[in-house]
């Protein structure tokens, strides 16, 4: 991979050198050089040959059902289940801990919880980085809504 910086201004006429179709011309020249020196030929866009991005490969695996859940997806599933099954946040946190999650809380000086971190398999995440819906305030909302539907809460 090479980047070339060139001054396009003709010093005699002080006008820009025409660069129409420079991408096509540059690609053609690069392919000729690759063939001449036996280099690996990179896929061309116009032939329809493209390399899949990591995101595309992961999505394909998920659609095919061959990829396991990511750690974040696993944690989110554990949290949502506990929030829906717990009668209140205290019970939901107990259920999460029983399922194997380590939980730490961020508190204000007065002791009010303002956020939380979830740890599984030695990897810790702020809950909001897993999914905004399970931030501390979001989690409380999910728990309350679940309990209202089940006739358990407020």
């Amino acid at each position: 991979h090479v980047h070339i910086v060139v001054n396009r201004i003709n010093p005699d006429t002080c006008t820009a050198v025409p660069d129409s179709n420079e991408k096509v011309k540059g690609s053609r020249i690069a392919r000729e050089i690759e063939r001449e020196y036996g280099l690996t030929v990179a896929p061309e866009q116009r032939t329809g040959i493209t390399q899949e991005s990591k995101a595309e490969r992961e999505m394909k695996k998920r659609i095919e059902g061959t990829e396991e859940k990511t750690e974040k997806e696993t944690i989110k599933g554990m949290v949502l289940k506990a929030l829906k099954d717990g009668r209140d946040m205290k019970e939901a946190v107990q259920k999460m801990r029983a399922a194997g999650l380590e939980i730490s809380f961020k508190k204000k000086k007065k002791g009010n919880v303002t956020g939380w971190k979830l740890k599984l398999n030695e990897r810790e995440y702020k809950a909001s980085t897993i999914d905004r819906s399970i931030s501390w305030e979001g989690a409380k909302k999910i728990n309350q809504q679940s309990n209202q539907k089940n006739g358990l809460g407020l």
Side-chain angles (χ1 to χ4, degrees):
H1 183 98
V2 177
H3 290 266
I4 301 172
V5 179
V6 179
N7 182 358
R8 291 185 26 211
I9 306 300
N10 181 329
D12 298 329
T13 63
C14 294
T15 59
V17 174
D19 65 351
S20 62
N21 293 321
E22 57 89 16
K23 184 175 180 180
V24 174
K25 290 175 187 174
S27 292
R28 183 176 32 81
I29 293 167
R31 300 297 170 252
E32 290 172 10
I33 293 169
E34 288 169 343
R35 285 194 255 320
E36 183 179 333
Y37 291 97
L39 303 172
T40 302
V41 179
E44 292 187 52
Q45 288 183 348
R46 59 194 150 130
T47 62
I49 301 170
T50 58
Q51 293 180 343
E52 279 184 325
S53 69
K54 181 180 177 187
E56 289 169 327
R57 286 191 304 274
E58 287 175 358
M59 181 59 75
K60 194 175 183 180
K61 286 180 182 178
R62 285 189 182 148
I63 290 169
E64 294 168 356
T66 57
E67 180 162 8
E68 296 179 22
K69 283 184 173 181
T70 65
E71 196 166 54
K72 284 184 175 184
E73 290 169 331
T74 300
I75 293 171
K76 181 181 175 185
M78 295 168 78
V79 169
L80 290 174
K81 180 173 178 12
L83 291 172
K84 290 175 181 170
D85 292 348
R87 288 182 297 222
D88 55 26
M89 284 302 290
K90 184 176 180 179
E91 186 176 310
V93 167
Q94 289 171 343
K95 288 181 180 287
M96 288 177 227
R97 286 184 169 143
L101 280 178
E102 292 180 42
I103 301 168
S104 59
F105 297 97
K106 181 180 176 186
K107 297 180 180 182
K108 285 191 174 182
K109 289 181 182 178
K110 293 182 180 180
N112 298 336
V113 175
T114 59
W116 58 336
K117 291 182 180 180
L118 307 162
K119 185 175 180 180
L120 182 67
N121 301 328
E122 303 305 315
R123 182 72 195 259
E124 186 175 63
Y125 303 93
K126 288 195 310 186
S128 61
T129 63
I130 294 171
D131 191 306
R132 297 287 304 158
S133 68
I134 62 169
S135 66
W136 181 250
E137 289 302 316
K140 288 191 323 187
K141 203 177 289 183
I142 291 169
N143 181 253
Q144 288 170 351
Q145 289 170 348
S146 178
N147 287 331
Q148 286 173 350
K149 286 179 186 174
N150 298 329
L152 299 173
L154 302 170

